[in-house]
């Protein structure tokens, strides 16, 4: 996301805009959401820091809207445009997220090289966003991608260009969909929305967790991009290997057989590496989900 | 001391106590060790944590633990443990709780706290004979803030603050010996990739009173730069190459619980990790590799002598 924001920021700047682009770091850990903000205007920008009322929200990973901590919908209102890279169509997202604003999807496309592959996501997000804001011509976007990725090998820059421009082209019908919001004036700042908190006894007010192991309510299985699948025929039942080495303790033992808890398996594949008879297969998560859906249909 | 109930891998717990759904990275070697440790320690424990990756384990309203958890400043976990132990002792004295209801006080910190910022508070707690177990998951850097170097970073490793061509110029502190010099009840090194050795040591520590330390080397895909699936293989290599000796200190004696024989070349362990990639590029790297190998050989020469 940081790369996307920098490419977009560069492109705006090249078009003569005042620009701010800034990443926001939380915990620097795999699986932790990353945010980046871009502000652009023809006039001086007085605002600083986090954008509370975005004109455009770009979501690079479509598992994030389901995660409250990611806050992808924070500040979204009717005039916001939500751009999301996903295999699901815009209507699905509008109804799933109960949104009345416009939703635009960048889809993996057989015709063009837009893909959800990690190394290109920055360019794809920036390419899509550049067309949506409507003030960045295609050559300016290309130049911004090249300059931003300057230190990378030529082939990598080329591939990013291809993906970024393909995303730009894919959104031709939505050119200029994003409306510029009204800047905040320093003269009459909006007062903060104070919330009155009555003084309560510590038992009620303190963040005390009363139940055991509540973390199971967090479905970290959403992190997975590959799925380990145990082949029951090859599995010899040495559960103490996979179930002990699984960092998350997400392999349960029932009747002497290991069972992977897909609600929580993060897809680290340590079990695949350790299984003595190599009985655990690696399946791309989207293919596994597709197969699940087909099974479900057949059963229904 | 009772005979260990963990004789074979088969004897390891098949039900896991630590809740799933934690925010640790996929493939976190620290979490691998912690869930193995927790299965043996049990839920009658109070955890006292200092700032680090594992602080995020218990983030309101979610916790993977079945008992209590207290968060302290990075340098102060053993002081927090003292307060909890004292409170429990007072409750026992007043007969507000029974001996069966008493809890084990467990400090859980990263290496940044254990090898560095928290050493003073730790030293004081051992000096006072505090009855507690200290678990350090050692990912050899400040993982939570992007892997800056710590007192546990090994020589030559690249970190966010050691980006030069030779990596980290300092040497990993010997925390095991620093603790042992205080003459505590128990000190041990473990690793998640050797779960049987780990279970026996945790079982032993649990039966003892007084200051006890368990240091778990924690392969960290994010900070060490490798694919998460290699966590347990890298852990095994750490033991087989002799760079992470498995040992324990009891009653003034140090015993090695695994003798890696024959020892595999340390290069096998280092080359699996991006943080050591520069050691495999040129003449300077070759020289550093030889130096690292020689240091390991010297260590084992004294052990085996
Ligand atoms: C006194 C203090 N200094 C700095 C920090 C910022 N900080 C939070 S976590 C962390 C890294 C801790 O490293 P370590 O103990 O090795 O745990 P890890 O993150 O590797 O799990 C730092 C420096 C802090 N919380 N408190
Ligand atoms: S940064 Fe390393 S130690 Fe921290 S949660 Fe991730 S893998 Fe574990
Ligand atoms: Mg650390």
């Amino acid at each position: 996301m940081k790369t996307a924001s920098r490419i977009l920021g560069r492109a705006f700047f090249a078009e003569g805009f005042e620009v701010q682009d800034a990443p926001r770091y939380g915990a620097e850990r795999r699986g932790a959401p990353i945010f980046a903000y871009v502000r652009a205007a023809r006039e001086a920008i007085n605002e600083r820091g986090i954008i509370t009322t975005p004109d455009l929200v770009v979501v690079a990973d479509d598992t994030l809207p389901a995660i409250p901590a990611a806050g992808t919908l924070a500040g979204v209102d009717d005039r916001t445009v939500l751009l999301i890279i996903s295999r699901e169509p815009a209507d699905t997202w509008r109804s799933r997220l109960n949104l009345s604003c416009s939703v635009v999807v960048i889809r993996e496309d057989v015709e063009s090289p837009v893909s959800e592959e990690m190394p290109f996501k920055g360019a794809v997000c920036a390419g899509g966003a550049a067309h949506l804001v409507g003030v960045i011509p295609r050559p300016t976007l290309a130049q911004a991608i090249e300059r931003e990725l300057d230190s990378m090998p030529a082939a990598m820059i080329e591939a990013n260009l291809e993906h970024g421009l393909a995303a730009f082209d894919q959104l031709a019908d939505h050119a200029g969909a994003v409306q510029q919001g009204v800047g905040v004036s320093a003269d009459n700042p909006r007062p903060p929305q104070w919330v009155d908190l009555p003084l309560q006894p510590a038992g009620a007010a303190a963040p005390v967790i009363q139940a055991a192991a509540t973390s199971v309510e967090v479905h970290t299985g959403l992190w997975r991009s590959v799925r380990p699948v145990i082949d029951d025929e090859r599995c010899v039942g040495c559960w103490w290997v996979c179930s002990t080495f699984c960092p998350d303790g997400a392999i349960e033992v029932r009747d002497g057989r290991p069972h992977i808890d897909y609600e929580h398996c993060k897809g680290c594949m340590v079990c695949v590496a350790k299984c003595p008879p190599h009985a655990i297969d690696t399946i791309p998560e989207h293919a596994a989900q597709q197969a699940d859906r087909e099974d479900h249909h057949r059963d229904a | 001391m009772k005979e260990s109930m963990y004789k074979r891998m088969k004897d390891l717990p098949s039900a896991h106590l630590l809740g799933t759904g934690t925010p640790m990275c996929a493939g976190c070697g620290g979490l691998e060790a912690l869930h193995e440790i927790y299965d043996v320690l049990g839920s009658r424990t109070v955890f006292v944590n200092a700032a680090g990756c594992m602080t995020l384990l218990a983030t309101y309203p979610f916790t993977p633990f079945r008992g209590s958890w207290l968060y302290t400043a990075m340098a102060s976990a053993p002081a927090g443990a003292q307060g909890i132990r004292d409170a429990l002792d007072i409750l026992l004295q007043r007969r507000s709780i029974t001996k069966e209801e008493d809890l084990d006080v467990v400090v859980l910190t990263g290496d940044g706290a254990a090898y560095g910022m928290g050493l003073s508070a730790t030293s004081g707690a051992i000096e006072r004979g505090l009855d507690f177990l200290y678990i350090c998951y050692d990912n050899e850097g400040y993982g939570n803030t992007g892997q800056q170097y710590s007192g546990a970073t090994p020589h030559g490793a690249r970190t966010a603050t050691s980006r030069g061509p030779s990596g980290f110029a300092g040497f990993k502190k010997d925390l095991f010996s620093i603790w042992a010099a205080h003459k505590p009840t128990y000190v041990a090194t473990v690793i998640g990739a050797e779960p049987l050795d780990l279970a026996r040591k945790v079982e032993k520590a649990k039966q003892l009173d007084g200051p006890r330390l368990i240091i778990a080397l924690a392969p960290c895909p994010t900070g060490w730069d490798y694919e998460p699936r290699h966590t347990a293989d890298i852990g095994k290599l750490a033991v087989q190459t002799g760079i992470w000796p498995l040992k324990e200190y009891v009653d003034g004696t140090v015993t090695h619980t695994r003798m890696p024989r024959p020892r595999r070349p340390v290069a096998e362990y280092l080359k699996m990790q991006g943080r050591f990639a520069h050691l495999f590029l040129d003449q300077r790297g070759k020289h550093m590799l030889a130096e690292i190998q020689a240091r390991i050989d010297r260590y084992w020469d004294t052990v085996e002598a």
Side-chain angles (χ1 to χ4, degrees), chain A residues 98-246:
Chain A
N98 194 20
L99 291 172
S100 46
C101 68
S102 67
V103 175
V104 179
V105 166
I106 297 184
R107 304 189 71 166
E108 189 158 15
D109 201 316
V110 271
E111 303 283 308
S112 74
V114 174
S115 92
E116 296 181 7
E117 275 177 68
M118 251 337 205
F120 311 120
K121 272 202 171 165
V124 167
C125 288
H131 220 158
L132 289 181
V133 297
V135 293
I136 298 172
R138 201 172 187 273
T140 308
L141 170 68
Q143 194 189 51
I145 294 175
E146 280 173 359
R147 295 238 168 110
E148 180 56 34
L149 304 179
D150 188 41
S151 59
M152 288 191 169
M156 197 63 189
I157 300 179
E158 203 46 51
N160 270 283
L161 264 178
E162 204 184 343
H163 282 80
L165 293 173
F168 184 90
D169 296 341
Q170 204 189 82
L171 300 194
D173 292 349
H174 303 278
V178 176
Q179 303 294 311
Q180 183 170 344
V182 188
V184 173
S185 154
D187 297 331
N188 50 357
R190 226 179 308 143
Q193 295 174 327
W194 297 112
V195 176
D196 284 326
L197 284 179
L199 192 64
Q200 285 185 324
V208 176
I209 308 170
Q210 305 288 357
T214 50
S215 59
V216 298
E217 297 300 333
V218 183
H219 293 175
T220 41
L222 287 170
W223 296 13
R224 203 168 52 234
S225 58
V226 278
R227 183 188 291 193
V229 178
I230 301 175
D231 176 351
D232 279 336
E233 300 204 342
R234 281 182 285 152
C235 169
V236 296
C238 54
W239 54 262
W240 49 90
V241 177
C242 54
S243 122
T244 303
F245 286 125
C246 170

Side-chain angles (χ1 to χ4, degrees), chain A residues 268-292:
Chain A
C268 71
M269 312 315 254
V270 164
C271 56
V272 175
K274 296 312 287 182
C275 173
H278 305 290
I280 310 181
D281 294 319
T282 301
I283 317 275
E285 183 61 23
H286 58 84
Q289 284 181 12
Q290 185 67 35
D292 284 352

Side-chain angles (χ1 to χ4, degrees), chain A residues 37-39 47-57 72-81 178-184 190 193:
Chain A
Y37 302 95
V38 180
R39 281 193 180 90
E47 294 158 89
R48 294 289 183 274
I50 288 170
I51 296 177
T52 47
T53 49
D55 303 321
L56 169 66
V57 172
T72 47
L73 300 181
V76 167
D77 62 19
D78 287 356
R79 44 167 300 284
T80 312
V81 177
V178 176
Q179 303 294 311
Q180 183 170 344
V182 188
V184 173
R190 226 179 308 143
Q193 295 174 327

Side-chain angles (χ1 to χ4, degrees), chain B residues 110-112 137-143:
Chain B
D111 50 287
Y137 60 99
D138 177 1
N139 60 1
E140 307 193 317
Y142 286 0

Side-chain angles (χ1 to χ4, degrees), chain B residues 77-94:
Chain B
Q82 178 82 54
I84 292 179
R85 188 60 263 162
D86 289 351
L88 286 165
D89 285 345
I90 292 169
L91 290 176
L92 280 169
Q93 217 170 33
R94 289 188 187 158

Side-chain angles (χ1 to χ4, degrees), chain B residues 52-53 109-113 136-144 147-148 150 152:
Chain B
C53 289
T109 81
D111 50 287
C136 164
Y137 60 99
D138 177 1
N139 60 1
E140 307 193 317
Y142 286 0
N144 194 43
Q147 198 72 1
Q148 295 81 13
S150 76

Side-chain angles (χ1 to χ4, degrees), chain B residues 6 14 18 36 41 43 45 65 71 80 116 121 133 143 148 157 183 205 216 224 230 249 273 280 287 293:
Chain B
Y6 303 108
S14 63
L18 195 71
E36 293 171 14
L41 272 187
S43 53
T45 37
F65 292 101
Y71 174 55
L133 172 64
Q148 295 81 13
K183 308 205 181 334
W224 296 10
H230 294 138
Y249 164 99
Q273 308 168 40
F280 297 89
H287 186 75
Q293 183 65 60

